[in-house]
Amino acid sequence: DMVVTLGRICVELPVCAVLLFTAWKLKAIFFSEKNLEPILSYKVSHNLEPKKEIYDLRIVRDINSGKYVTVAEKDRFLHFLCDGSSGTGKTSSTILPAIRDDLDAHCRMEDKQLEALKEMEERGEIFYVSHGRKPGIGDFLPAVHEKGLKEPDTEARETRIRDKLNELALLYPVAGITVLAPDDSLTDDVCRLCEARGISYNRIDPTRLLDGRRKENSIGMNPFYLRGEMNGEDKNQLIVKKAVIFADVMQAITELKGKSDSYFSGVNRQMIANLAILVMLTVPALRQRQATPMDLQEVINDFDKLKAPLAKLKELDRGSNQFQFVMKYIESDLLGAGRPKMEDQSRGTRNIINEFLLMPYNREVFCSQESIDFDRILENGEVTVCNYNLAAGDTDATAFGLFFLLSFNNAVLSRPGTEHTRIPHFFYVDELPVLIHPSIEKNFSLFRKYRVAMFVAIQTLDQMEKNEITKYLKGVILGCAHILVFGRSSITDMEIFSKFAGVRDEVEEERGITQTALSDVSTRLT
């Protein structure tokens, strides 16, 4: 036993000594001030891949690791701001790659939807109604008329199938994409991306091909377009909204030409809104077509031509009396005692509308009977591109772009459903300051709730200083959660983004020895 014990001591004692020494060294390492903070702050979740959502955005790489910095789908609705001078690559390195990835995800969701819809069609739950484009959920209707079903059973079956279609739309959301740009370089690239993937799209573009033909999938943008199935209060409310938008755009053009007088602005704005309501209500009944801005141009240039639409409005409004204010205004101010004064005061407005409809290709877009429906593109997740053609001149281009922007905004704010039932929509705006307008505030403050994500590009924040009305929008736009900053920024931008980046405390530690000679009276060593 003594020999065995001695053997154990000889073998185990050195091992224990080594282990104790190792533990002592490890304790010194782990509990040193240098290593303690990163150890305590470590989280396993930082090294785990987050759950990928359908429309995550991955266009930026980490400069050290080369890995993509992923922006989750839910965070995209806090909006993107891309700031960089001309030629820094804003479009090619951020906007186009983001649109490309969104189109790829759009395709995947379309395919999954179509696969599920075909299964429902084979079971006899739905049937296909062709709309001349790639089929989607909106192109299928419930098949409810089965033999042996009673009326209450038919209604219950239809409700059940519609609920199933709604669930399918949320399970595989086909996100809509809208692109607004000042020239056709970006919009044409987006159209090519769509064509390569077999995605149907709407193109609003006043420019033509070299041979004079309209571009593929071109469609109009009539500011007075009304869907045929609308009626009653909803139709009347939409007419007033469109009239106000038209008046707002005309007012914005007036302000572009210089500071306007508040009195004349109010008078002309009221006149344009009332005449727009008049033509939208009466032209379909008088001429069996949609009203267009040319109808408004006709009556504003010659007040005598108001008599026939006014008589028709009295006939249409008989019994409801909803548009008495329009009739009284026209009778007293435009056809009555106030006519000479209004003809004189509205001369500037007439010139603006005439100039606005002067460009033939623009007029063709605005007066088309086949017009874009903003409610439909939001509901069905469609892809839409708009080139407002800045080369046509500031007045025409700004009017074109503002009509699109304000009409789109109005459709978003009228979007039915809730934050959890609306399908996502991504709105890309290149060179946003060209279309700066007070209504843009809603895009950044309210669109998140309506599931519309903004991605805007500017050259400098100084572009927001155009006038006193829009100066405050700089702070609104800087509220974007994601900001991409390129080189060659202005001094103002660099100062602002430096403040955004913040400061970092760095501790500097100095080590040294202070000593005195042994021969001194009070010898010290520090």
Side-chain angles (χ1 to χ4, degrees):
D1 289 343
M2 290 173 64
V3 172
V4 171
T5 301
L6 179 63
R8 285 175 176 169
I9 291 172
C10 292
V11 173
E12 294 176 4
L13 193 59
V15 173
C16 290
V18 171
L19 289 176
L20 287 172
F21 178 78
T22 304
W24 177 68
K25 280 293 183 183
L26 287 174
K27 179 184 177 184
I29 293 172
F30 281 117
F31 289 92
S32 70
E33 290 185 5
K34 182 180 178 181
N35 297 325
L36 190 59
E37 185 178 348
I39 291 172
L40 292 177
S41 63
Y42 174 78
K43 291 184 179 179
V44 176
S45 60
H46 289 173
N47 284 19
L48 296 178
E49 283 291 331
K51 181 182 177 183
K52 191 176 185 308
E53 297 184 50
I54 300 167
Y55 294 99
D56 285 354
L57 189 63
R58 301 170 74 243
I59 59 173
V60 179
R61 293 178 184 268
D62 183 273
I63 196 169
N64 296 314
S65 66
K67 292 182 178 179
Y68 277 106
V69 178
T70 301
V71 178
E73 178 187 324
K74 61 182 177 63
D75 292 330
R76 293 186 64 180
F77 298 99
L78 301 176
H79 312 307
F80 269 84
L81 170 63
C82 185
D83 183 297
S85 300
S86 178
T88 51
K90 299 189 300 296
T91 302
S92 60
S93 62
T94 60
I95 296 178
L96 267 177
I99 294 173
R100 176 204 62 203
D101 291 351
D102 287 341
L103 289 173
D104 288 341
H106 178 104
C107 284
R108 291 194 297 271
M109 294 302 103
E110 267 191 342
D111 293 341
K112 290 182 179 180
Q113 267 194 17
L114 193 56
E115 185 180 338
L117 288 168
K118 285 181 177 178
E119 292 178 1
M120 292 179 66
E121 190 178 24
E122 290 171 359
R123 293 196 297 268
E125 295 178 321
I126 55 177
F127 64 93
Y128 177 60
V129 182
S130 175
H131 286 105
R133 61 174 189 268
K134 190 174 181 180
I137 286 180
D139 301 312
F140 289 86
L141 294 176
V144 295
H145 298 292
E146 287 192 356
K147 294 181 179 179
L149 283 178
K150 298 178 182 179
E151 190 66 28
D153 296 334
T154 301
E155 293 178 3
R157 175 183 168 85
E158 182 178 2
T159 302
R160 187 172 65 254
I161 294 173
R162 289 194 182 279
D163 290 343
K164 202 168 182 179
L165 289 172
N166 291 335
E167 290 174 5
L168 186 62
L170 294 175
L171 181 62
Y172 305 121
V174 178
I177 300 168
T178 299
V179 181
L180 181 60
D183 54 55
D184 58 5
S185 60
L186 174 59
T187 55
D188 285 354
D189 284 341
V190 175
C191 292
R192 281 191 284 270
L193 290 173
C194 290
E195 289 164 1
R197 290 159 176 76
I199 299 174
S200 58
Y201 61 90
N202 310 300
R203 191 204 305 251
I204 302 171
D205 194 338
T207 62
R208 298 295 184 96
L209 298 171
L210 294 176
D211 57 5
R213 291 182 296 112
R214 296 180 69 187
K215 294 182 177 180
E216 193 72 22
N217 289 340
S218 289
I219 192 170
M221 186 179 62
N222 184 351
F224 299 155
Y225 173 79
L226 299 169
R227 282 189 290 178
E229 65 270 18
M230 292 194 70
N231 51 46
E233 290 297 324
D234 290 340
K235 182 178 180 180
N236 292 338
Q237 185 173 352
L238 183 60
I239 286 174
V240 175
K241 282 183 179 179
K242 286 180 175 287
V244 170
I245 290 173
F246 191 87
D248 283 344
V249 174
M250 292 297 107
Q251 179 62 28
I253 296 172
T254 304
E255 290 170 355
L256 277 178
K257 295 179 177 295
K259 193 171 181 179
S260 59
D261 182 85
S262 58
Y263 170 75
F264 287 105
S265 297
V267 169
N268 290 323
R269 192 172 181 276
Q270 184 184 19
M271 181 180 66
I272 292 173
N274 280 284
L275 293 181
I277 292 171
L278 176 72
V279 298
M280 279 189 277
L281 286 168
T282 59
V283 167
L286 289 171
R287 303 180 181 179
Q288 287 71 53
R289 62 170 174 79
Q290 294 276 351
T292 70
M294 286 186 68
D295 297 314
L296 187 143
Q297 181 188 29
E298 181 182 339
V299 296
I300 204 171
N301 283 330
D302 184 358
F303 288 168
D304 285 332
K305 293 184 178 180
L306 286 167
K307 294 175 182 178
L310 180 61
K312 191 63 179 179
L313 180 58
K314 288 180 179 179
E315 178 187 334
L316 295 173
D317 199 47
R318 189 177 294 120
S320 62
N321 296 326
Q322 289 196 343
F323 294 99
Q324 287 293 318
F325 66 96
V326 177
M327 291 182 279
K328 289 180 179 178
Y329 174 81
I330 293 173
E331 287 175 337
S332 63
D333 287 12
L334 303 184
L335 292 176
R339 177 171 177 170
K341 184 178 179 181
M342 284 303 300
E343 283 181 331
D344 181 59
Q345 291 181 348
S346 63
R347 186 177 293 110
T349 303
R350 287 199 301 272
N351 291 338
I352 287 173
I353 292 178
N354 292 333
E355 184 181 350
F356 166 63
L357 295 172
L358 185 63
M359 297 289 288
Y361 292 162
N362 284 12
R363 184 171 64 244
E364 184 179 325
V365 172
F366 286 125
C367 299
S368 173
Q369 292 297 301
E370 184 187 1
S371 178
I372 192 76
D373 186 342
F374 290 97
D375 294 322
R376 190 197 70 208
I377 67 175
L378 288 167
E379 181 182 355
N380 297 335
E382 298 180 16
V383 179
T384 305
V385 299
C386 176
N387 162 31
Y388 54 89
N389 192 24
L390 198 58
D394 289 344
T395 299
D396 287 341
T398 303
F400 203 114
L402 280 177
F403 269 126
F404 186 94
L405 182 64
L406 297 183
S407 300
F408 181 83
N409 288 4
N410 178 62
V412 170
L413 298 176
S414 305
R415 201 176 184 191
T418 67
E419 191 174 345
H420 305 291
T421 59
R422 300 179 181 113
I423 61 173
H425 198 98
F426 302 107
F427 189 22
Y428 294 86
V429 184
D430 195 14
E431 303 298 344
L432 175 69
V434 176
L435 304 176
I436 200 69
H437 189 272
S439 67
I440 291 176
E441 178 185 355
K442 300 183 184 69
N443 296 51
F444 298 94
S445 59
L446 297 177
F447 272 24
R448 180 190 61 80
K449 295 190 294 185
Y450 295 92
R451 295 281 285 169
V452 176
M454 297 294 298
F455 193 119
V456 300
I458 65 173
Q459 293 198 22
T460 171
L461 291 167
D462 293 334
Q463 292 175 290
M464 303 299 163
E465 304 280 347
K466 283 186 176 182
N467 55 57
E468 294 297 325
I469 299 175
T470 58
K471 187 181 291 186
Y472 77 99
L473 289 174
K474 179 162 68 174
V476 174
I477 292 174
L478 284 172
C480 292
H482 316 287
I483 301 178
L484 307 175
V485 184
F486 285 76
R488 292 194 281 114
S489 296
S490 68
I491 295 175
T492 307
D493 289 14
M494 287 191 285
E495 289 177 350
I496 290 173
F497 293 128
S498 294
K499 291 178 181 178
F500 265 108
V503 296
R504 181 177 63 189
D505 286 339
E506 292 189 1
V507 179
E508 292 186 0
E509 187 177 290
E510 294 183 356
R511 293 177 180 271
I513 296 174
T514 303
Q515 62 187 9
T516 57
L518 284 172
S519 57
D520 286 357
V521 178
S522 61
T523 301
R524 295 185 306 278
L525 174 63
T526 305

